[in-house]
Amino acid sequence: QITLKESGPTLVRPTQTLTLTCTFSGFSLTTSGVGVGWIRQSPGKAPQWLTLIYWDDDKLYNPSLRSRLTITKDTSKNQVVLTMTNMDPVDTATYYCARLTTMVNVLDYWGQGTLVTVSS
Amino acid sequence: DIQMTQSPSSLSASVGDRVTITCRASQSITRYLNWYQFKSGKAPKLLIYAASNLQGGVPSRFSGSGSGTDFTLTISSLQPEDFATYYCQQSYSIRPLTFGGGTRVEIK
């Protein structure tokens, strides 16, 4: 059974750095063709893809947010970590992590998401 | 970026109704089109991948079709648990992956 779960702060102050952890089970991020990505959804808006990390440590970032994002993995802990710098109230959203399979680049399993509010 | 446009943005339907949602890409994405179901407080669920392939465990009342720029998600007989928001997503260009604006399916 494949599961993913996001964890991290629910409230972040403007200009601070957000760090979220995705802890997963049921698959390995050392398996060829597997990746883990982050997607966010602001209230009332469509989901926005943020970043991906692959089994071979290749990384992709949404160009619109590239300067603020970093993604890393710890395969021994089955975790992927997202950091986003210089948080702003417009970054208030539910942040999801999801597994990606490269065969058709589909996000086939998702976590429940974690709501992050940016406010002073 | 490849823009994805869904229609309608919302619809009201009754249990048992046939529901069709469309998604249009701003350029050809061949068949790299996926459909997801979002419900508040739950993990989003993959329904259809590569335009017409049913994800394991998804009821057969869900189906997808299309290629190129125009795609359709059909629910053949709407069930109470299907009231949700549905999003299409292109995976033809991964930089960036993009989603449609969503279709909210409400109870009539």
mmCIF file of all heavy atoms in Angstrom, chain B residues 22-71:
data_model
loop_
_atom_site.group_PDB
_atom_site.id
_atom_site.type_symbol
_atom_site.label_atom_id
_atom_site.label_comp_id
_atom_site.label_asym_id
_atom_site.label_seq_id
_atom_site.Cartn_x
_atom_site.Cartn_y
_atom_site.Cartn_z
ATOM 1 N N THR B 22 -15.044 18.694 -20.178
ATOM 2 C CA THR B 22 -14.075 18.800 -21.271
ATOM 3 C C THR B 22 -12.841 19.578 -20.830
ATOM 4 O O THR B 22 -12.886 20.425 -19.928
ATOM 5 C CB THR B 22 -14.698 19.459 -22.507
ATOM 6 O OG1 THR B 22 -15.077 20.799 -22.166
ATOM 7 C CG2 THR B 22 -15.918 18.700 -22.969
ATOM 8 N N CYS B 23 -11.754 19.272 -21.492
ATOM 9 C CA CYS B 23 -10.462 19.903 -21.212
ATOM 10 C C CYS B 23 -9.791 20.158 -22.549
ATOM 11 O O CYS B 23 -9.726 19.256 -23.400
ATOM 12 C CB CYS B 23 -9.634 18.971 -20.342
ATOM 13 S SG CYS B 23 -8.000 19.581 -19.901
ATOM 14 N N ARG B 24 -9.308 21.378 -22.736
ATOM 15 C CA ARG B 24 -8.630 21.742 -23.982
ATOM 16 C C ARG B 24 -7.232 22.256 -23.676
ATOM 17 O O ARG B 24 -7.058 23.098 -22.785
ATOM 18 C CB ARG B 24 -9.433 22.801 -24.730
ATOM 19 C CG ARG B 24 -8.756 23.343 -25.979
ATOM 20 C CD ARG B 24 -9.723 24.087 -26.857
ATOM 21 N NE ARG B 24 -10.642 23.156 -27.528
ATOM 22 C CZ ARG B 24 -11.649 23.545 -28.311
ATOM 23 N NH1 ARG B 24 -11.884 24.833 -28.490
ATOM 24 N NH2 ARG B 24 -12.423 22.664 -28.883
ATOM 25 N N ALA B 25 -6.266 21.761 -24.419
ATOM 26 C CA ALA B 25 -4.876 22.194 -24.269
ATOM 27 C C ALA B 25 -4.551 23.283 -25.289
ATOM 28 O O ALA B 25 -5.117 23.301 -26.382
ATOM 29 C CB ALA B 25 -3.937 21.012 -24.446
ATOM 30 N N SER B 26 -3.627 24.146 -24.928
ATOM 31 C CA SER B 26 -3.259 25.263 -25.812
ATOM 32 C C SER B 26 -2.380 24.819 -26.982
ATOM 33 O O SER B 26 -2.160 25.592 -27.914
ATOM 34 C CB SER B 26 -2.543 26.350 -25.006
ATOM 35 O OG SER B 26 -1.371 25.835 -24.404
ATOM 36 N N GLN B 27 -1.883 23.594 -26.948
ATOM 37 C CA GLN B 27 -1.151 22.990 -28.053
ATOM 38 C C GLN B 27 -1.342 21.483 -27.957
ATOM 39 O O GLN B 27 -1.828 20.985 -26.924
ATOM 40 C CB GLN B 27 0.335 23.358 -28.006
ATOM 41 C CG GLN B 27 1.060 22.760 -26.822
ATOM 42 C CD GLN B 27 2.530 23.108 -26.786
ATOM 43 O OE1 GLN B 27 2.889 24.243 -26.485
ATOM 44 N NE2 GLN B 27 3.362 22.130 -27.082
ATOM 45 N N SER B 28 -0.947 20.776 -28.983
ATOM 46 C CA SER B 28 -1.114 19.327 -28.947
ATOM 47 C C SER B 28 -0.286 18.710 -27.820
ATOM 48 O O SER B 28 0.899 19.032 -27.654
ATOM 49 C CB SER B 28 -0.699 18.699 -30.273
ATOM 50 O OG SER B 28 -0.779 17.286 -30.165
ATOM 51 N N ILE B 29 -0.942 17.854 -27.050
ATOM 52 C CA ILE B 29 -0.252 17.107 -25.994
ATOM 53 C C ILE B 29 -0.372 15.609 -26.250
ATOM 54 O O ILE B 29 -0.224 14.799 -25.333
ATOM 55 C CB ILE B 29 -0.783 17.482 -24.587
ATOM 56 C CG1 ILE B 29 -2.299 17.269 -24.484
ATOM 57 C CG2 ILE B 29 -0.428 18.924 -24.243
ATOM 58 C CD1 ILE B 29 -2.844 17.413 -23.060
ATOM 59 N N THR B 30 -0.655 15.248 -27.487
ATOM 60 C CA THR B 30 -0.917 13.857 -27.911
ATOM 61 C C THR B 30 -1.919 13.250 -26.930
ATOM 62 O O THR B 30 -3.066 13.668 -26.904
ATOM 63 C CB THR B 30 0.382 13.055 -28.054
ATOM 64 O OG1 THR B 30 1.041 12.947 -26.786
ATOM 65 C CG2 THR B 30 1.336 13.726 -29.045
ATOM 66 N N ARG B 31 -1.499 12.259 -26.128
ATOM 67 C CA ARG B 31 -2.426 11.669 -25.168
ATOM 68 C C ARG B 31 -1.929 11.817 -23.729
ATOM 69 O O ARG B 31 -2.337 11.090 -22.831
ATOM 70 C CB ARG B 31 -2.667 10.199 -25.505
ATOM 71 C CG ARG B 31 -3.409 10.022 -26.822
ATOM 72 C CD ARG B 31 -3.562 8.559 -27.185
ATOM 73 N NE ARG B 31 -4.321 7.802 -26.189
ATOM 74 C CZ ARG B 31 -5.638 7.760 -26.128
ATOM 75 N NH1 ARG B 31 -6.363 8.450 -26.991
ATOM 76 N NH2 ARG B 31 -6.248 7.027 -25.207
ATOM 77 N N TYR B 32 -1.040 12.798 -23.501
ATOM 78 C CA TYR B 32 -0.476 13.000 -22.166
ATOM 79 C C TYR B 32 -1.418 13.843 -21.300
ATOM 80 O O TYR B 32 -1.104 14.975 -20.908
ATOM 81 C CB TYR B 32 0.895 13.652 -22.260
ATOM 82 C CG TYR B 32 1.990 12.709 -22.687
ATOM 83 C CD1 TYR B 32 2.247 12.477 -24.039
ATOM 84 C CD2 TYR B 32 2.765 12.043 -21.745
ATOM 85 C CE1 TYR B 32 3.246 11.597 -24.426
ATOM 86 C CE2 TYR B 32 3.771 11.170 -22.125
ATOM 87 C CZ TYR B 32 3.998 10.958 -23.472
ATOM 88 O OH TYR B 32 4.991 10.095 -23.857
ATOM 89 N N LEU B 33 -2.559 13.253 -20.969
ATOM 90 C CA LEU B 33 -3.588 13.973 -20.237
ATOM 91 C C LEU B 33 -4.121 13.077 -19.134
ATOM 92 O O LEU B 33 -4.467 11.912 -19.381
ATOM 93 C CB LEU B 33 -4.726 14.377 -21.202
ATOM 94 C CG LEU B 33 -5.827 15.347 -20.732
ATOM 95 C CD1 LEU B 33 -6.856 14.682 -19.820
ATOM 96 C CD2 LEU B 33 -5.237 16.576 -20.057
ATOM 97 N N ASN B 34 -4.161 13.624 -17.926
ATOM 98 C CA ASN B 34 -4.598 12.871 -16.755
ATOM 99 C C ASN B 34 -5.756 13.603 -16.081
ATOM 100 O O ASN B 34 -5.874 14.829 -16.187
ATOM 101 C CB ASN B 34 -3.434 12.733 -15.768
ATOM 102 C CG ASN B 34 -2.172 12.225 -16.445
ATOM 103 O OD1 ASN B 34 -2.182 11.194 -17.114
ATOM 104 N ND2 ASN B 34 -1.083 12.966 -16.293
ATOM 105 N N TRP B 35 -6.588 12.842 -15.397
ATOM 106 C CA TRP B 35 -7.742 13.406 -14.688
ATOM 107 C C TRP B 35 -7.661 13.023 -13.206
ATOM 108 O O TRP B 35 -7.388 11.866 -12.874
ATOM 109 C CB TRP B 35 -9.051 12.872 -15.253
ATOM 110 C CG TRP B 35 -9.411 13.367 -16.620
ATOM 111 C CD1 TRP B 35 -9.190 12.726 -17.803
ATOM 112 C CD2 TRP B 35 -10.078 14.582 -16.940
ATOM 113 N NE1 TRP B 35 -9.666 13.468 -18.845
ATOM 114 C CE2 TRP B 35 -10.233 14.613 -18.343
ATOM 115 C CE3 TRP B 35 -10.579 15.652 -16.188
ATOM 116 C CZ2 TRP B 35 -10.849 15.677 -19.007
ATOM 117 C CZ3 TRP B 35 -11.192 16.704 -16.846
ATOM 118 C CH2 TRP B 35 -11.322 16.707 -18.236
ATOM 119 N N TYR B 36 -7.939 14.004 -12.343
ATOM 120 C CA TYR B 36 -7.899 13.793 -10.903
ATOM 121 C C TYR B 36 -9.205 14.246 -10.275
ATOM 122 O O TYR B 36 -9.858 15.186 -10.758
ATOM 123 C CB TYR B 36 -6.756 14.592 -10.264
ATOM 124 C CG TYR B 36 -5.388 14.244 -10.800
ATOM 125 C CD1 TYR B 36 -4.864 14.912 -11.912
ATOM 126 C CD2 TYR B 36 -4.614 13.259 -10.204
ATOM 127 C CE1 TYR B 36 -3.622 14.588 -12.405
ATOM 128 C CE2 TYR B 36 -3.361 12.934 -10.704
ATOM 129 C CZ TYR B 36 -2.876 13.610 -11.798
ATOM 130 O OH TYR B 36 -1.634 13.291 -12.292
ATOM 131 N N GLN B 37 -9.528 13.615 -9.125
ATOM 132 C CA GLN B 37 -10.670 13.996 -8.313
ATOM 133 C C GLN B 37 -10.149 14.575 -7.015
ATOM 134 O O GLN B 37 -9.344 13.936 -6.323
ATOM 135 C CB GLN B 37 -11.534 12.764 -8.026
ATOM 136 C CG GLN B 37 -12.761 13.028 -7.189
ATOM 137 C CD GLN B 37 -13.420 11.719 -6.765
ATOM 138 O OE1 GLN B 37 -12.856 10.932 -6.000
ATOM 139 N NE2 GLN B 37 -14.623 11.473 -7.260
ATOM 140 N N PHE B 38 -10.606 15.774 -6.686
ATOM 141 C CA PHE B 38 -10.228 16.429 -5.439
ATOM 142 C C PHE B 38 -11.455 16.558 -4.542
ATOM 143 O O PHE B 38 -12.513 17.016 -4.983
ATOM 144 C CB PHE B 38 -9.694 17.847 -5.722
ATOM 145 C CG PHE B 38 -8.242 17.927 -6.106
ATOM 146 C CD1 PHE B 38 -7.756 17.254 -7.221
ATOM 147 C CD2 PHE B 38 -7.348 18.681 -5.357
ATOM 148 C CE1 PHE B 38 -6.416 17.331 -7.578
ATOM 149 C CE2 PHE B 38 -6.010 18.776 -5.712
ATOM 150 C CZ PHE B 38 -5.551 18.104 -6.820
ATOM 151 N N LYS B 39 -11.267 16.138 -3.286
ATOM 152 C CA LYS B 39 -12.279 16.353 -2.255
ATOM 153 C C LYS B 39 -11.600 17.000 -1.058
ATOM 154 O O LYS B 39 -10.472 16.622 -0.705
ATOM 155 C CB LYS B 39 -12.915 15.035 -1.820
ATOM 156 C CG LYS B 39 -13.811 14.394 -2.863
ATOM 157 C CD LYS B 39 -14.437 13.127 -2.292
ATOM 158 C CE LYS B 39 -15.382 12.481 -3.264
ATOM 159 N NZ LYS B 39 -15.995 11.245 -2.708
ATOM 160 N N SER B 40 -12.295 17.927 -0.413
ATOM 161 C CA SER B 40 -11.727 18.664 0.712
ATOM 162 C C SER B 40 -11.296 17.724 1.830
ATOM 163 O O SER B 40 -12.052 16.837 2.241
ATOM 164 C CB SER B 40 -12.766 19.650 1.240
ATOM 165 O OG SER B 40 -12.243 20.397 2.312
ATOM 166 N N GLY B 41 -10.057 17.885 2.292
ATOM 167 C CA GLY B 41 -9.553 17.090 3.407
ATOM 168 C C GLY B 41 -9.109 15.683 3.043
ATOM 169 O O GLY B 41 -8.685 14.927 3.917
ATOM 170 N N LYS B 42 -9.183 15.344 1.764
ATOM 171 C CA LYS B 42 -8.785 13.994 1.334
ATOM 172 C C LYS B 42 -7.628 14.077 0.344
ATOM 173 O O LYS B 42 -7.395 15.117 -0.273
ATOM 174 C CB LYS B 42 -9.958 13.280 0.681
ATOM 175 C CG LYS B 42 -11.081 12.942 1.632
ATOM 176 C CD LYS B 42 -11.971 11.870 1.019
ATOM 177 C CE LYS B 42 -12.867 11.245 2.065
ATOM 178 N NZ LYS B 42 -13.652 10.133 1.507
ATOM 179 N N ALA B 43 -6.922 12.967 0.223
ATOM 180 C CA ALA B 43 -5.868 12.899 -0.781
ATOM 181 C C ALA B 43 -6.487 12.915 -2.169
ATOM 182 O O ALA B 43 -7.421 12.150 -2.448
ATOM 183 C CB ALA B 43 -5.040 11.637 -0.594
ATOM 184 N N PRO B 44 -6.018 13.795 -3.045
ATOM 185 C CA PRO B 44 -6.489 13.755 -4.435
ATOM 186 C C PRO B 44 -6.282 12.370 -5.033
ATOM 187 O O PRO B 44 -5.355 11.651 -4.658
ATOM 188 C CB PRO B 44 -5.612 14.803 -5.122
ATOM 189 C CG PRO B 44 -5.257 15.755 -4.033
ATOM 190 C CD PRO B 44 -5.070 14.882 -2.820
ATOM 191 N N LYS B 45 -7.165 12.035 -5.967
ATOM 192 C CA LYS B 45 -7.189 10.691 -6.519
ATOM 193 C C LYS B 45 -7.035 10.736 -8.028
ATOM 194 O O LYS B 45 -7.743 11.483 -8.714
ATOM 195 C CB LYS B 45 -8.522 10.047 -6.149
ATOM 196 C CG LYS B 45 -8.696 8.609 -6.552
ATOM 197 C CD LYS B 45 -10.074 8.124 -6.062
ATOM 198 C CE LYS B 45 -10.339 6.698 -6.438
ATOM 199 N NZ LYS B 45 -11.690 6.269 -6.003
ATOM 200 N N LEU B 46 -6.091 9.938 -8.534
ATOM 201 C CA LEU B 46 -5.935 9.798 -9.980
ATOM 202 C C LEU B 46 -7.044 8.908 -10.509
ATOM 203 O O LEU B 46 -7.251 7.795 -10.011
ATOM 204 C CB LEU B 46 -4.572 9.185 -10.304
ATOM 205 C CG LEU B 46 -4.338 8.784 -11.761
ATOM 206 C CD1 LEU B 46 -4.268 10.013 -12.650
ATOM 207 C CD2 LEU B 46 -3.047 7.956 -11.881
ATOM 208 N N LEU B 47 -7.765 9.399 -11.514
ATOM 209 C CA LEU B 47 -8.853 8.619 -12.111
ATOM 210 C C LEU B 47 -8.436 7.994 -13.442
ATOM 211 O O LEU B 47 -8.629 6.807 -13.672
ATOM 212 C CB LEU B 47 -10.061 9.524 -12.359
ATOM 213 C CG LEU B 47 -10.677 10.229 -11.159
ATOM 214 C CD1 LEU B 47 -11.758 11.191 -11.627
ATOM 215 C CD2 LEU B 47 -11.224 9.223 -10.173
ATOM 216 N N ILE B 48 -7.916 8.837 -14.313
ATOM 217 C CA ILE B 48 -7.599 8.449 -15.686
ATOM 218 C C ILE B 48 -6.196 8.954 -16.014
ATOM 219 O O ILE B 48 -5.866 10.105 -15.704
ATOM 220 C CB ILE B 48 -8.586 9.088 -16.686
ATOM 221 C CG1 ILE B 48 -10.029 8.711 -16.380
ATOM 222 C CG2 ILE B 48 -8.211 8.753 -18.132
ATOM 223 C CD1 ILE B 48 -10.425 7.302 -16.778
ATOM 224 N N TYR B 49 -5.378 8.116 -16.641
ATOM 225 C CA TYR B 49 -4.068 8.571 -17.109
ATOM 226 C C TYR B 49 -3.914 8.279 -18.588
ATOM 227 O O TYR B 49 -4.601 7.401 -19.128
ATOM 228 C CB TYR B 49 -2.937 7.938 -16.290
ATOM 229 C CG TYR B 49 -2.820 6.438 -16.421
ATOM 230 C CD1 TYR B 49 -1.971 5.868 -17.358
ATOM 231 C CD2 TYR B 49 -3.565 5.594 -15.595
ATOM 232 C CE1 TYR B 49 -1.859 4.506 -17.487
ATOM 233 C CE2 TYR B 49 -3.464 4.223 -15.718
ATOM 234 C CZ TYR B 49 -2.607 3.680 -16.658
ATOM 235 O OH TYR B 49 -2.503 2.305 -16.784
ATOM 236 N N ALA B 50 -3.050 9.038 -19.219
ATOM 237 C CA ALA B 50 -2.821 8.904 -20.660
ATOM 238 C C ALA B 50 -4.131 8.909 -21.424
ATOM 239 O O ALA B 50 -4.376 8.063 -22.296
ATOM 240 C CB ALA B 50 -1.996 7.650 -20.955
ATOM 241 N N ALA B 51 -4.983 9.848 -21.082
ATOM 242 C CA ALA B 51 -6.236 10.170 -21.781
ATOM 243 C C ALA B 51 -7.378 9.198 -21.540
ATOM 244 O O ALA B 51 -8.519 9.621 -21.365
ATOM 245 C CB ALA B 51 -5.998 10.348 -23.274
ATOM 246 N N SER B 52 -7.083 7.886 -21.543
ATOM 247 C CA SER B 52 -8.201 6.945 -21.517
ATOM 248 C C SER B 52 -7.973 5.712 -20.652
ATOM 249 O O SER B 52 -8.805 4.801 -20.663
ATOM 250 C CB SER B 52 -8.526 6.489 -22.945
ATOM 251 O OG SER B 52 -7.415 5.823 -23.512
ATOM 252 N N ASN B 53 -6.876 5.669 -19.915
ATOM 253 C CA ASN B 53 -6.567 4.498 -19.102
ATOM 254 C C ASN B 53 -7.087 4.672 -17.683
ATOM 255 O O ASN B 53 -6.715 5.627 -16.984
ATOM 256 C CB ASN B 53 -5.056 4.270 -19.069
ATOM 257 C CG ASN B 53 -4.524 3.902 -20.438
ATOM 258 O OD1 ASN B 53 -4.546 2.748 -20.844
ATOM 259 N ND2 ASN B 53 -4.065 4.902 -21.182
ATOM 260 N N LEU B 54 -7.922 3.735 -17.265
ATOM 261 C CA LEU B 54 -8.526 3.798 -15.939
ATOM 262 C C LEU B 54 -7.508 3.355 -14.897
ATOM 263 O O LEU B 54 -6.928 2.275 -14.992
ATOM 264 C CB LEU B 54 -9.756 2.887 -15.901
ATOM 265 C CG LEU B 54 -10.731 3.048 -14.750
ATOM 266 C CD1 LEU B 54 -11.440 4.389 -14.814
ATOM 267 C CD2 LEU B 54 -11.750 1.899 -14.759
ATOM 268 N N GLN B 55 -7.275 4.207 -13.902
ATOM 269 C CA GLN B 55 -6.369 3.841 -12.820
ATOM 270 C C GLN B 55 -6.979 2.678 -12.027
ATOM 271 O O GLN B 55 -8.210 2.588 -11.869
ATOM 272 C CB GLN B 55 -6.128 5.049 -11.902
ATOM 273 C CG GLN B 55 -5.331 4.773 -10.639
ATOM 274 C CD GLN B 55 -3.866 4.485 -10.873
ATOM 275 O OE1 GLN B 55 -3.434 4.208 -11.990
ATOM 276 N NE2 GLN B 55 -3.080 4.564 -9.807
ATOM 277 N N GLY B 56 -6.128 1.794 -11.528
ATOM 278 C CA GLY B 56 -6.598 0.656 -10.764
ATOM 279 C C GLY B 56 -7.468 1.071 -9.588
ATOM 280 O O GLY B 56 -7.142 2.007 -8.867
ATOM 281 N N GLY B 57 -8.578 0.369 -9.398
ATOM 282 C CA GLY B 57 -9.454 0.641 -8.266
ATOM 283 C C GLY B 57 -10.496 1.709 -8.536
ATOM 284 O O GLY B 57 -11.387 1.926 -7.715
ATOM 285 N N VAL B 58 -10.412 2.371 -9.670
ATOM 286 C CA VAL B 58 -11.387 3.423 -10.016
ATOM 287 C C VAL B 58 -12.592 2.769 -10.689
ATOM 288 O O VAL B 58 -12.431 1.946 -11.593
ATOM 289 C CB VAL B 58 -10.742 4.468 -10.936
ATOM 290 C CG1 VAL B 58 -11.783 5.484 -11.421
ATOM 291 C CG2 VAL B 58 -9.608 5.176 -10.209
ATOM 292 N N PRO B 59 -13.787 3.145 -10.269
ATOM 293 C CA PRO B 59 -14.988 2.508 -10.853
ATOM 294 C C PRO B 59 -15.084 2.711 -12.368
ATOM 295 O O PRO B 59 -14.694 3.763 -12.894
ATOM 296 C CB PRO B 59 -16.143 3.223 -10.136
ATOM 297 C CG PRO B 59 -15.555 3.719 -8.866
ATOM 298 C CD PRO B 59 -14.131 4.062 -9.169
ATOM 299 N N SER B 60 -15.635 1.734 -13.037
ATOM 300 C CA SER B 60 -15.712 1.756 -14.503
ATOM 301 C C SER B 60 -16.702 2.792 -15.032
ATOM 302 O O SER B 60 -16.768 3.007 -16.248
ATOM 303 C CB SER B 60 -16.067 0.375 -15.039
ATOM 304 O OG SER B 60 -17.315 -0.038 -14.510
ATOM 305 N N ARG B 61 -17.475 3.434 -14.167
ATOM 306 C CA ARG B 61 -18.352 4.503 -14.649
ATOM 307 C C ARG B 61 -17.558 5.739 -15.091
ATOM 308 O O ARG B 61 -18.095 6.614 -15.768
ATOM 309 C CB ARG B 61 -19.386 4.906 -13.587
ATOM 310 C CG ARG B 61 -18.814 5.477 -12.305
ATOM 311 C CD ARG B 61 -19.928 5.812 -11.309
ATOM 312 N NE ARG B 61 -19.408 6.351 -10.051
ATOM 313 C CZ ARG B 61 -19.056 5.595 -9.026
ATOM 314 N NH1 ARG B 61 -19.163 4.278 -9.103
ATOM 315 N NH2 ARG B 61 -18.586 6.164 -7.923
ATOM 316 N N PHE B 62 -16.290 5.797 -14.693
ATOM 317 C CA PHE B 62 -15.412 6.868 -15.152
ATOM 318 C C PHE B 62 -14.727 6.424 -16.440
ATOM 319 O O PHE B 62 -14.219 5.314 -16.541
ATOM 320 C CB PHE B 62 -14.340 7.189 -14.110
ATOM 321 C CG PHE B 62 -14.866 7.848 -12.866
ATOM 322 C CD1 PHE B 62 -15.232 7.085 -11.770
ATOM 323 C CD2 PHE B 62 -15.001 9.226 -12.793
ATOM 324 C CE1 PHE B 62 -15.726 7.691 -10.624
ATOM 325 C CE2 PHE B 62 -15.495 9.841 -11.660
ATOM 326 C CZ PHE B 62 -15.862 9.062 -10.566
ATOM 327 N N SER B 63 -14.700 7.331 -17.420
ATOM 328 C CA SER B 63 -13.976 7.048 -18.648
ATOM 329 C C SER B 63 -13.410 8.337 -19.218
ATOM 330 O O SER B 63 -13.920 9.437 -18.942
ATOM 331 C CB SER B 63 -14.871 6.354 -19.680
ATOM 332 O OG SER B 63 -15.922 7.220 -20.072
ATOM 333 N N GLY B 64 -12.350 8.193 -19.986
ATOM 334 C CA GLY B 64 -11.719 9.350 -20.608
ATOM 335 C C GLY B 64 -11.488 9.099 -22.083
ATOM 336 O O GLY B 64 -11.332 7.950 -22.510
ATOM 337 N N SER B 65 -11.493 10.185 -22.851
ATOM 338 C CA SER B 65 -11.239 10.065 -24.277
ATOM 339 C C SER B 65 -10.564 11.338 -24.774
ATOM 340 O O SER B 65 -10.510 12.356 -24.057
ATOM 341 C CB SER B 65 -12.539 9.820 -25.048
ATOM 342 O OG SER B 65 -13.408 10.933 -24.922
ATOM 343 N N GLY B 66 -10.076 11.254 -26.010
ATOM 344 C CA GLY B 66 -9.485 12.423 -26.647
ATOM 345 C C GLY B 66 -8.032 12.237 -26.986
ATOM 346 O O GLY B 66 -7.373 11.294 -26.529
ATOM 347 N N SER B 67 -7.545 13.166 -27.797
ATOM 348 C CA SER B 67 -6.132 13.212 -28.145
ATOM 349 C C SER B 67 -5.852 14.559 -28.791
ATOM 350 O O SER B 67 -6.786 15.249 -29.223
ATOM 351 C CB SER B 67 -5.740 12.075 -29.087
ATOM 352 O OG SER B 67 -6.395 12.228 -30.334
ATOM 353 N N GLY B 68 -4.590 14.913 -28.858
ATOM 354 C CA GLY B 68 -4.241 16.203 -29.441
ATOM 355 C C GLY B 68 -4.482 17.344 -28.468
ATOM 356 O O GLY B 68 -3.710 17.527 -27.536
ATOM 357 N N THR B 69 -5.564 18.085 -28.685
ATOM 358 C CA THR B 69 -5.856 19.213 -27.810
ATOM 359 C C THR B 69 -7.180 19.081 -27.055
ATOM 360 O O THR B 69 -7.416 19.848 -26.115
ATOM 361 C CB THR B 69 -5.916 20.540 -28.600
ATOM 362 O OG1 THR B 69 -6.944 20.439 -29.590
ATOM 363 C CG2 THR B 69 -4.584 20.845 -29.263
ATOM 364 N N ASP B 70 -8.029 18.156 -27.431
ATOM 365 C CA ASP B 70 -9.370 18.075 -26.848
ATOM 366 C C ASP B 70 -9.618 16.738 -26.168
ATOM 367 O O ASP B 70 -9.444 15.681 -26.781
ATOM 368 C CB ASP B 70 -10.435 18.321 -27.915
ATOM 369 C CG ASP B 70 -10.374 19.738 -28.455
ATOM 370 O OD1 ASP B 70 -10.323 20.675 -27.638
ATOM 371 O OD2 ASP B 70 -10.351 19.906 -29.687
ATOM 372 N N PHE B 71 -10.069 16.828 -24.912
ATOM 373 C CA PHE B 71 -10.233 15.647 -24.076
ATOM 374 C C PHE B 71 -11.540 15.725 -23.303
ATOM 375 O O PHE B 71 -12.062 16.811 -23.062
ATOM 376 C CB PHE B 71 -9.056 15.541 -23.097
ATOM 377 C CG PHE B 71 -7.729 15.439 -23.788
ATOM 378 C CD1 PHE B 71 -7.040 16.595 -24.160
ATOM 379 C CD2 PHE B 71 -7.174 14.210 -24.092
ATOM 380 C CE1 PHE B 71 -5.829 16.525 -24.814
ATOM 381 C CE2 PHE B 71 -5.966 14.128 -24.742
ATOM 382 C CZ PHE B 71 -5.289 15.276 -25.113
#
